[in-house]
Amino acid sequence: MFLTGLIFLPIVFAAVVLLLPQSKVRVGSLLMAIVHFVYSLCLFQMFDKTTAALQLVEKHEWISFFGINYFVGIDGISFWLVLMTTFFAPIVILGSWHSIEKKEKTFHFALFLLQTFMLGTFLSIDSIMFYIFFEASLLPMYLMIGVWGGTRRIYAAMKFFIYTMAGSLLMLVAILALIFMTAEQLGAPSASMIDFYKLQIPFVAGEVLNPQTLMFLAFFIAFAIKVPMFPVHTWLPDAHVEAPTPGSVILAAIMLKMGTYGFMRFVIPLFPEATNYYGWFVMLLGVVGIVYGALVAMVQPDIKKLVAYSSVSHMGYVVLGLFALNIYGTTGALYQMLNHGVSTGALFLLVGIIYERTHTREIKSYGGLAAAMPIYTILFLIVTMSSIAVPGTNGFVGEFYILMGGFLKNKALGSIAALGVILGAAYMLWMVKKVFFGPEGEYVKGAKEGTYNEALKDVSLRETIVLAPLIILIFWMGIFPNHFLSWSQSSLDHLVKTQLDYELPIAQKAEQE
């Protein structure tokens, strides 16, 4: 019952939030989020990292006619994503202490609901359960953007909702087709991913209208929108810019990973032949996303929009690594999913800190900020180093693995992806130069004249406490990556083996011909 408690405890907390007096909502929510995170740390004692098998499995009959069950479990692929989800909740609550000033109960209620839906997505083994949690996560995030967002919040919330729901409907059709296929091949309908893996799904190379290719495309489109990949990424910059700081942090740190997790849980193991055949094209889209995201980030006048486009670029690396279909790329992709959550989550928190003070995100409004806010500048520089993958930080390890895996699979695409590292450094360092070391902007000048003294106070104790765990992780993950990778390696080895088992017969057949 441990995983059930992990998934549904936040719903209990959501109900408690509604009962709390208004003055106790923030403190009560923070304490409950910390309790939930501590509860999740029990996984370190309960999880066996030496096996790729599902662990802590719970299965109960639900809708027997269609073979739908309450079926949850955890392996090395979902292990760190679950812990990241519980880790960010108290950080987000403490980070939004002053930025959420209206309808606080509703906000924290939505936040705890979102926790349940995200955890349910990462822990569901039944495909219908996965779909329900995957879709349900849209509702709290829609509220966060639509209620506490900026001036164009309704437009951004609607765009986010329509894009992601449209893709998910294709996935639902493919899941239903797989359930009917289990009835034909296994003798009884089943919605379990484990049973899906046993299916022989027909595939014809070069033909789109065959079952495996059609299902591959249905799942791929749904998860590509969620990542988001180029060219279905356009909802993300709008959502990030209009979302409140806690919404942007959760979106970047956790929700985008639901797409890449879907590739690892469904697309690659379920459709190995289609994945191997079309993988080069997916890698190409990933590389285009890397370069496109970096180039568009370079010309952004809004610091938050720049960080949003950096997410498009960074998630392109994850996709490249996954569809390289080798252990280097897959390991780097999972690690980069965690790295992106830490570094981009921290960047959005830092942007939120300065926005709370000045109520602008325009880069041109700043300049010379290093003299006015030295500690803030140091923290921003550290996170920037992580984002551009400086050795010794977490970003370097993930990108190094991905580039190695991408280069081994396709030298041309791997080489172009390496160009993205240079472009990433260019737009981030350009922004740092303008904001912190460039000619003095209106706010630094105003502070000297006494107009903006309050606005440019350096980071507070609360803000330092919020950022400290992320700064620690940047160096811990960069210097001791095996402390993290060892928990997932068995599952990643098994995932890659599903591809090797198909590549070998294909190669043997080619030799015979």
Side-chain angles (χ1 to χ4, degrees):
M1 295 298 288
F2 178 81
L3 294 185
T4 296
L6 191 61
I7 294 170
F8 292 104
L9 195 56
I11 282 188
V12 176
F13 293 157
V16 172
V17 163
L18 297 179
L19 301 175
L20 289 174
Q22 191 67 34
S23 61
K24 305 295 183 184
V25 168
R26 287 195 185 107
V27 174
S29 297
L30 177 60
L31 291 175
M32 289 186 287
I34 292 171
V35 167
H36 190 229
F37 174 58
V38 172
Y39 178 78
S40 71
L41 293 179
C42 297
L43 282 171
F44 285 108
Q45 290 294 324
M46 305 171 75
F47 187 82
D48 180 5
K49 62 183 178 181
T50 63
T51 177
L54 283 172
Q55 300 178 48
L56 306 178
V57 171
E58 299 170 29
K59 188 174 183 180
H60 306 284
E61 190 175 283
W62 186 16
I63 307 174
S64 57
F65 183 76
F66 287 104
I68 302 170
N69 297 300
Y70 175 83
F71 189 5
V72 295
I74 190 169
D75 66 359
I77 293 172
S78 52
F79 179 82
W80 282 113
L81 295 172
V82 168
L83 287 171
M84 283 280 286
T85 304
T86 60
F87 168 75
F88 265 98
I91 287 177
V92 163
I93 291 170
L94 192 58
S96 63
W97 209 258
H98 297 305
S99 62
I100 302 299
E101 298 177 340
K102 63 177 183 180
K103 300 181 180 177
E104 292 172 29
K105 281 192 178 184
T106 308
F107 171 79
H108 290 94
F109 178 81
L111 178 61
F112 282 124
L113 282 185
L114 184 57
Q115 282 283 100
T116 283
F117 299 148
M118 293 189 298
L119 289 168
T121 301
F122 294 135
L123 292 171
S124 292
I125 307 302
D126 185 278
S127 60
I128 295 296
M129 269 186 65
F130 173 90
Y131 176 80
I132 291 170
F133 282 122
F134 188 86
E135 284 291 87
S137 66
L138 298 180
L139 298 172
M141 183 53 68
Y142 176 84
L143 283 176
M144 284 189 184
I145 299 171
V147 176
W148 296 277
T151 53
R152 298 175 71 242
R153 59 185 180 273
I154 302 301
Y155 167 78
M158 288 296 295
K159 191 174 182 180
F160 160 74
F161 194 87
I162 291 170
Y163 261 69
T164 48
M165 175 165 273
S168 299
L169 289 174
L170 293 173
M171 176 172 67
L172 178 60
V173 173
I175 288 173
L176 293 175
L178 288 167
I179 292 174
F180 286 121
M181 199 170 283
T182 58
E184 293 176 0
Q185 295 188 18
L186 305 181
S190 173
S192 165
M193 296 182 203
I194 306 300
D195 288 330
F196 286 176
Y197 298 155
K198 300 173 185 176
L199 295 174
Q200 297 296 318
I201 307 173
F203 175 76
V204 181
E207 291 186 12
V208 176
L209 297 178
N210 66 83
Q212 190 171 146
T213 299
L214 290 173
M215 291 181 190
F216 169 86
L217 288 173
F219 277 101
F220 172 76
I221 292 169
F223 296 136
I225 291 171
K226 197 76 169 185
V227 169
M229 289 177 62
F230 176 89
V232 288
H233 66 283
T234 57
W235 64 267
L236 182 68
D238 290 318
H240 269 315
V241 169
E242 299 305 325
T245 297
S248 291
V249 173
I250 294 172
L251 193 58
I254 313 297
M255 288 194 73
L256 302 189
K257 313 311 181 295
M258 291 162 64
T260 46
Y261 173 77
F263 286 144
M264 301 178 82
R265 186 62 80 203
F266 281 94
V267 176
I268 294 174
L270 261 182
F271 314 114
E273 292 164 303
T275 298
N276 190 58
Y277 189 81
Y278 296 106
W280 69 270
F281 181 69
V282 182
M283 289 176 67
L284 176 63
L285 289 179
V287 170
V288 171
I290 291 169
V291 176
Y292 170 83
L295 291 175
V296 176
M298 281 184 182
V299 298
Q300 294 306 314
D302 184 310
I303 190 171
K304 198 175 185 185
K305 206 161 193 177
L306 182 149
V307 177
Y309 274 106
S310 79
S311 281
V312 176
S313 186
H314 287 151
M315 294 306 288
Y317 282 107
V318 176
V319 172
L320 173 68
L322 283 178
F323 285 86
L325 304 176
N326 55 50
I327 193 59
Y328 300 109
T330 307
T331 300
L334 181 62
Y335 208 56
Q336 194 65 4
M337 287 159 68
L338 306 179
N339 294 337
H340 176 263
V342 171
S343 60
T344 307
L347 280 173
F348 279 120
L349 285 168
L350 286 162
V351 173
I353 286 172
I354 196 66
Y355 180 74
E356 284 180 30
R357 287 158 165 72
T358 63
H359 301 291
T360 182
R361 293 186 298 262
E362 293 293 319
I363 292 173
K364 66 181 181 182
S365 298
Y366 302 110
L369 205 58
M373 302 176 69
I375 298 175
Y376 178 83
T377 304
I378 292 169
L379 295 174
F380 206 107
L381 283 172
I382 291 171
V383 178
T384 299
M385 296 302 107
S386 166
S387 183
I388 66 177
V390 169
T393 66
N394 55 345
F396 174 77
V397 179
E399 287 192 11
F400 181 80
Y401 268 107
I402 288 170
L403 291 175
M404 185 185 295
F407 192 78
L408 288 174
K409 184 71 174 181
N410 188 306
K411 290 181 174 58
L413 293 178
S415 300
I416 297 171
L419 173 64
V421 177
I422 300 170
L423 294 175
Y427 68 75
M428 287 301 294
L429 293 177
W430 169 84
M431 180 266 290
V432 166
K433 177 180 179 295
K434 288 279 188 182
V435 170
F436 296 99
F437 304 105
E440 291 181 353
E442 63 174 285
Y443 281 93
V444 175
K445 289 178 180 176
K448 288 184 175 180
E449 295 166 2
T451 310
Y452 294 125
N453 278 338
E454 291 296 316
L456 295 188
K457 277 187 174 179
D458 215 336
V459 288
S460 65
L461 177 61
R462 174 186 61 84
E463 291 162 343
T464 304
I465 292 171
V466 168
L467 292 165
L470 300 174
I471 301 297
I472 291 169
L473 277 177
I474 283 171
F475 292 112
W476 189 3
M477 295 175 73
I479 298 170
F480 303 106
N482 203 48
H483 288 183
F484 299 85
L485 292 173
S486 61
W487 292 87
S488 300
Q489 206 60 58
S490 295
S491 294
L492 293 173
D493 289 339
H494 180 73
L495 179 66
V496 172
K497 186 178 182 296
T498 64
Q499 281 298 321
L500 296 178
D501 288 344
Y502 276 85
E503 287 177 359
L504 184 59
I506 291 169
Q508 289 173 341
K509 184 179 178 182
E511 288 175 5
Q512 291 170 3
E513 292 174 351

